[in-house]
């Protein structure tokens, strides 16, 4: 009585899937990071427009002299850091969301004058109106969205059997 054992392996297919995964994953992560940068940019703009800082606290009120100037010019007196729209306008997604290293994205202002204006509002002015940043809640929201995006993209590539 003889026993014959035949073993077949899908090692080649598994190896090919891992190679595909290695080539796809960095591109998916880069794309997800850029998307996270765009999302953060949108959150910063939305909160600023609502008159709240990145910690979800209302901005300090404008001075009485500045309020008189806004009323004289017929501008809104809401504390939303919007006078001409140039400062937040220079924070544009196409040129400011850039990959700045391994698994990092930087947001910044494209115009040096607007960068100075933002620095004044964020740091130098008294009272400070800290609009450019994010808190733990925002970080969790962006992180969750990033993870969903990566999972969705990897499912598209049908890497796993």
């Amino acid at each position: 009585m003889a026993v014959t054992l035949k073993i077949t392996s899908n090692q080649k297919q598994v190896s090919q899937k891992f190679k595909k995964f290695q080539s796809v994953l960095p591109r998916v992560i880069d794309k997800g990071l850029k998307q996270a940068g765009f999302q953060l940019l949108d959150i910063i703009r939305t909160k600023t427009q609502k008159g709240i800082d990145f910690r979800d606290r209302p901005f300090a009120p404008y001075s009485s002299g500045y309020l008189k100037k806004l009323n004289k010019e017929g501008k809104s007196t809401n504390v939303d850091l919007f006078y001409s729209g140039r400062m937040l306008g220079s924070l544009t997604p196409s040129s400011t969301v850039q990959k700045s290293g391994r698994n990092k994205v930087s947001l910044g202002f494209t115009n040096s004058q607007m960068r100075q204006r933002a620095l004044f509002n964020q740091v130098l002015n008294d009272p400070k109106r800290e609009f450019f940043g994010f808190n733990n809640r925002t970080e969790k929201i962006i992180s969750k969205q990033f993870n969903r995006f990566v999972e969705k993209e990897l499912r598209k590539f049908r890497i796993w059997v």
Side-chain angles (χ1 to χ4, degrees):
M1 180 163 146
V3 176
T4 307
L5 181 63
K6 184 177 180 183
I7 299 174
T8 58
S9 169
N10 65 346
Q11 181 267 333
K12 287 182 182 178
Q13 291 173 327
V14 171
S15 179
Q16 287 174 345
K17 295 286 183 181
F18 274 111
K19 284 181 183 176
K20 186 175 181 182
F21 181 73
Q22 284 177 327
S23 69
V24 166
L25 189 60
R27 288 182 290 171
V28 169
I29 288 174
D30 286 350
K31 192 173 176 183
L33 284 172
K34 278 206 169 216
Q35 187 181 55
F38 287 119
Q39 187 176 11
L40 178 59
L41 183 63
D42 185 52
I43 290 170
I44 288 171
R45 284 184 175 166
T46 303
K47 284 184 175 189
T48 303
Q49 189 176 28
K50 289 179 180 178
I52 56 177
D53 66 9
F54 72 90
R55 292 182 188 99
D56 297 324
R57 296 182 305 208
F59 287 137
Y62 289 139
S63 67
S64 59
Y66 190 67
L67 284 172
K68 286 179 187 175
K69 177 183 177 181
L70 290 175
N71 282 328
K72 193 176 191 181
E73 295 176 1
K75 305 244 184 210
S76 172
T77 57
N78 296 335
V79 184
D80 57 4
L81 305 181
F82 188 90
Y83 181 76
S84 65
R86 289 180 58 212
M87 182 181 74
L88 291 175
S90 75
L91 190 60
T92 57
S94 60
S95 58
T96 58
V97 178
Q98 296 177 356
K99 189 171 180 243
S100 64
R102 186 178 171 119
N103 299 333
K104 290 183 185 180
V105 172
S106 296
L107 298 179
F109 293 87
T110 56
N111 184 315
S112 64
Q113 283 181 321
M114 298 307 116
R115 193 175 306 122
Q116 288 293 92
R117 190 177 292 174
L119 177 69
F120 178 77
N121 281 310
Q122 182 84 11
V123 179
L124 303 175
N125 192 21
D126 190 34
K128 295 176 185 170
R129 295 182 181 94
E130 298 174 320
F131 69 98
F132 193 70
F134 59 93
N135 57 15
N136 289 340
R137 182 173 173 257
T138 302
E139 185 178 6
K140 286 178 186 174
I141 290 168
I142 292 172
S143 176
K144 195 175 192 179
Q145 191 68 29
F146 173 80
N147 290 336
R148 278 191 202 143
F149 173 78
V150 170
E151 288 173 7
K152 181 181 167 190
E153 288 296 306
L154 291 179
R155 267 189 255 121
K156 282 182 187 177
F157 286 100
R158 295 183 184 148
I159 292 171
W160 305 111
V161 180

